[in-house]
Amino acid sequence: MVHLSTIPSEDEIDDKLVESVKKAHLQLVNDEDAFTTSVYGSRFAALDLPRHEMPEREMPKEVAYRMIKDELSLDGNPMLNLASFVTTYMSLTAAQEEEAEKLMAESFSKNFIDYEEYPQSADIQNRCVSMIGRLFNAPVGSDHATKGAVGTSCVGSSEAIMLAVLAMKKRWKNKRVAAGKSTDKPNIIMSSAVQVCWEKAARYFEVDEKLVYCTQERYVIDPEETVNLVDENTIGICAILGTTYTGEYEDVKAVNDLLVRKGLDIPIHVDAASGGFVAPFVVPDLEWDFRLEKVVSINVSGHKYGLVYPGVGWVVWRSAEYLPKELVFNINYLGADQASFTLNFSKGASQVIGQYYQLIRLGKHGYRAIMSNLTRTANYLSDSLEAMGFIIMSKKSGEGLPLVAFRLTPQEDRNYDEFALAHQLRVRGWVVPAYTMAPNTENLKMLRVVVREDFTRSRCDNLIADIKLGQQLLEQMDRDSIKKQQDFIHKNHTASGKATHNHPKYRKETHSIQGRTGKTHAIC
């Protein structure tokens, strides 16, 4: 997610420095001595890195590399980041098998949009679309003008969802215009636990949100309630294959069957950002994809369980019928005619190449082996936490994503909550997010651990041990001490507590579900 940033004034640049430090001047080496045999012997090591204005003079490449590398070393350890679904480790880039990394690096210079110059890169994208479409049981027709699935690569699922919403809205509008009816007030039906990109799509493209609210016992949409919200202005229904909070798969088939039984011509878009590369390998008989007649489009993130570094996503439509022609632009910008349906234009080819490598290198057997192992690890962690007294909110054994969502048991005399435990784990290096659940769940709090490819059984045991230690420490503290420690950790140990990039104008908005209800958006 892009962070809005302010351009600070000179006073704001220096306001964090102690006054006596502002007046202190270190004796620097001569300008002529720009670089010595040691990076740290150069004059640059005694200067702050440029932060707000480009420097006047060059910097030796060795110094620039080392100084930036040192800055980045203060980032968190991706292996301990259990908050994100996004790939932080590609196993095929290990020292013994560097081919994937080399292929991606060799494609850095390729502008993916330039078909005339890089036709093979475009063809590799088409191969990925075909493989992913077939994985989702997309119909294949000989007459591509009316039959056969179509799809494209995206920067990620957020762009894919934007494109899918645009297609649903335009198709709804065309039908309304043809019938001589009003095109005011289009709406889309979705869970109150959606990822924020769905709210963005609705707001950016002026579509009203119709929310199916979660409850304290149900964390996904209720199919009957969902279909009952349908009216003549409904452009489509969003169903999530793996919600961001608990990883549970929403019952796409039940929604589909209700629409069919009631004779409602309403399309379903499946947000399979995380589950699209899990369910086909772990629960292949689960019907959620193009086997269901009302499912017209599906998105999936290659940079999540597709096992590619960010950012790459994919969106597939059942046929060209569901992607209105007026949204697609034929362009001859760089020497060759091509059809384009994207929100952006130029982008690198590296991630698409990385996706293709993973698909053909691992094959179905390789993906099945990895996803099965992740599911086993998630089951082990879930069983362990349940034995420790936590309430498990996620599903096991392939009924949802390989993640564990859990919360503390209700206990009036407990001095700490899920957020305090998350802060304790943060001190140990773990990023285990705590959330306030979707609205209408009585401010239910929860913690979530995403099990990704590099989260081994051994690392899982380390996490369990640190959760025990964190609980033991918190149970020995009174409420005031916990509050003081939590405030200190939040301010000094977490990046968000020290963040300075948030523009004051955009704080405390009230137009999102989070702004209106106080729930926290789950990290994608």
Side-chain angles (χ1 to χ4, degrees):
M1 187 178 296
V2 177
H3 308 292
L4 283 172
S5 180
T6 59
I7 300 175
S9 66
E10 295 301 320
D11 290 339
E12 290 172 320
I13 290 173
D14 293 335
D15 68 354
K16 289 184 170 57
L17 296 178
V18 179
E19 193 63 32
S20 58
V21 174
K22 293 180 187 178
K23 296 176 181 178
H25 297 280
L26 293 173
Q27 183 177 354
L28 301 178
V29 296
N30 294 330
D31 282 354
E32 289 77 14
D33 188 18
F35 186 49
T36 68
T37 54
S38 169
V39 170
Y40 300 108
S42 72
R43 68 183 179 87
F44 300 100
L47 296 172
D48 189 16
L49 275 175
R51 296 176 183 272
H52 303 288
E53 190 169 342
M54 289 175 63
E56 289 293 333
R57 297 179 59 180
E58 305 92 337
M59 179 184 292
K61 63 181 186 297
E62 298 89 348
V63 176
Y65 170 79
R66 190 71 238 179
M67 295 292 102
I68 296 174
K69 185 177 177 66
D70 287 352
E71 287 273 301
L72 292 175
S73 69
L74 300 176
D75 273 344
N77 183 349
M79 291 186 177
L80 300 181
N81 178 8
L82 305 180
S84 178
F85 292 98
V86 176
T87 298
T88 57
Y89 170 82
M90 282 182 70
S91 61
L92 301 181
T93 63
Q96 69 272 22
E97 190 172 347
E98 298 178 343
E99 284 76 9
E101 188 175 49
K102 287 167 62 180
L103 281 171
M104 294 174 74
E106 289 164 3
S107 300
F108 283 161
S109 61
K110 294 183 179 181
N111 185 359
F112 181 76
I113 202 68
D114 189 349
Y115 176 78
E116 181 64 21
E117 187 69 21
Y118 310 115
Q120 288 308 117
S121 295
D123 189 56
I124 282 175
Q125 180 220 237
N126 297 342
R127 298 176 199 176
C128 290
V129 168
S130 180
M131 291 179 185
I132 292 168
R134 290 172 188 270
L135 185 66
F136 298 162
N137 295 290
V140 180
S142 56
D143 182 4
H144 289 288
T146 57
K147 298 178 182 178
V150 294
T152 185
S153 64
C154 306
V155 175
S157 276
S158 290
E159 183 187 8
I161 286 165
M162 298 280 182
L163 298 178
V165 171
L166 273 176
M168 286 190 289
K169 181 181 178 182
K170 177 60 71 173
R171 188 165 176 267
W172 168 84
K173 184 176 180 180
N174 289 346
K175 290 171 65 177
R176 298 284 290 178
V177 170
K181 297 180 180 179
S182 170
T183 58
D184 293 339
K185 297 289 185 182
N187 67 69
I188 188 167
I189 300 170
M190 55 190 181
S191 167
S192 61
V194 290
Q195 212 272 342
V196 69
C197 62
W198 279 97
E199 294 184 67
K200 287 183 177 181
R203 178 163 287 266
Y204 292 173
F205 302 138
E206 298 183 319
V207 177
D208 291 338
E209 303 167 11
K210 278 194 169 184
L211 300 177
V212 181
Y213 287 96
C214 301
T215 69
Q216 284 186 291
E217 293 77 31
R218 174 179 52 78
Y219 312 125
V220 291
I221 58 172
D222 173 74
E224 189 78 40
E225 184 180 343
T226 299
V227 174
N228 287 341
L229 288 174
V230 168
D231 61 27
E232 64 179 4
N233 293 322
T234 299
I235 67 170
I237 294 171
C238 159
I240 309 171
L241 194 74
T243 64
T244 54
Y245 287 102
T246 66
E248 187 175 350
Y249 297 150
E250 296 191 322
D251 195 342
V252 188
K253 188 177 189 306
V255 175
N256 175 87
D257 292 350
L258 280 169
L259 290 173
V260 172
R261 190 162 72 244
K262 295 187 176 185
L264 297 172
D265 184 21
I266 301 296
I268 298 173
H269 174 88
V270 180
D271 180 358
S274 298
F277 277 112
V278 178
F281 303 110
V282 179
V283 281
D285 294 332
L286 180 68
E287 293 184 58
W288 61 271
D289 52 20
F290 291 117
R291 286 170 287 183
L292 305 175
E293 64 178 275
K294 294 301 181 182
V295 173
V296 304
S297 52
I298 300 172
N299 69 277
V300 65
S301 291
H303 59 226
K304 292 183 181 176
Y305 289 107
L307 306 181
V308 182
Y309 288 134
V312 60
W314 305 90
V315 59
V316 181
W317 286 269
R318 174 180 289 275
S319 73
E321 173 190 353
Y322 299 99
L323 176 52
K325 186 175 182 179
E326 55 266 44
L327 293 177
V328 179
F329 288 83
N330 290 303
I331 54 176
N332 191 9
Y333 181 66
L334 293 169
D337 290 326
Q338 55 186 309
S340 173
F341 183 37
T342 63
L343 294 182
N344 65 305
F345 197 65
S346 294
K347 67 177 178 180
S350 298
Q351 268 62 30
V352 171
I353 304 303
Q355 182 74 82
Y356 184 59
Y357 182 90
Q358 295 286 57
L359 291 174
I360 67 172
R361 173 66 179 86
L362 289 173
K364 292 181 180 179
H365 181 272
Y367 272 94
R368 189 177 298 113
I370 291 171
M371 300 309 156
S372 296
N373 268 349
L374 298 185
T375 301
R376 293 187 190 99
T377 302
N379 286 349
Y380 171 72
L381 177 58
S382 181
D383 291 341
S384 300
L385 291 172
E386 191 170 27
M388 292 166 61
F390 289 98
I391 296 173
I392 305 301
M393 302 168 67
S394 49
K395 300 290 186 179
K396 296 196 300 184
S397 303
E399 290 187 49
L401 297 175
L403 66 79
V404 182
F406 59 105
R407 60 189 173 93
L408 295 164
T409 56
Q411 189 173 316
E412 292 184 3
D413 59 348
R414 181 184 289 116
N415 291 327
Y416 64 94
D417 63 3
E418 288 80 357
F419 286 86
L421 182 54
H423 280 92
Q424 285 295 327
L425 292 172
R426 189 71 182 86
V427 175
R428 297 284 295 170
W430 300 102
V431 181
V432 177
Y435 300 114
T436 302
M437 185 57 177
N440 287 19
T441 57
E442 305 300 326
N443 292 320
L444 199 65
K445 298 175 184 177
M446 57 170 285
L447 295 143
R448 189 194 71 187
V449 171
V450 177
V451 178
R452 295 192 308 275
E453 184 181 5
D454 61 331
F455 189 68
T456 61
R457 171 72 174 265
S458 176
R459 191 173 300 162
C460 184
D461 284 335
N462 290 333
L463 173 65
I464 292 168
D466 282 341
I467 290 174
K468 287 181 180 177
L469 287 172
Q471 280 190 288
Q472 289 170 3
L473 178 61
L474 289 168
E475 285 168 359
Q476 295 171 11
M477 300 169 64
D478 58 45
R479 195 178 299 272
D480 288 341
S481 298
I482 291 173
K483 179 67 168 60
K484 288 177 183 178
Q485 187 196 46
Q486 195 170 345
D487 290 343
F488 179 83
I489 293 171
H490 179 70
K491 186 176 181 180
N492 297 284
H493 284 269
T494 65
S496 56
K498 296 182 285 187
T500 58
H501 61 259
N502 292 328
H503 195 290
K505 178 179 178 180
Y506 304 109
R507 295 173 188 160
K508 297 182 179 179
E509 48 81 11
T510 57
H511 52 263
S512 69
I513 300 177
Q514 176 172 304
R516 294 195 305 269
T517 67
K519 72 109 173 182
T520 48
H521 279 302
I523 298 172
C524 64

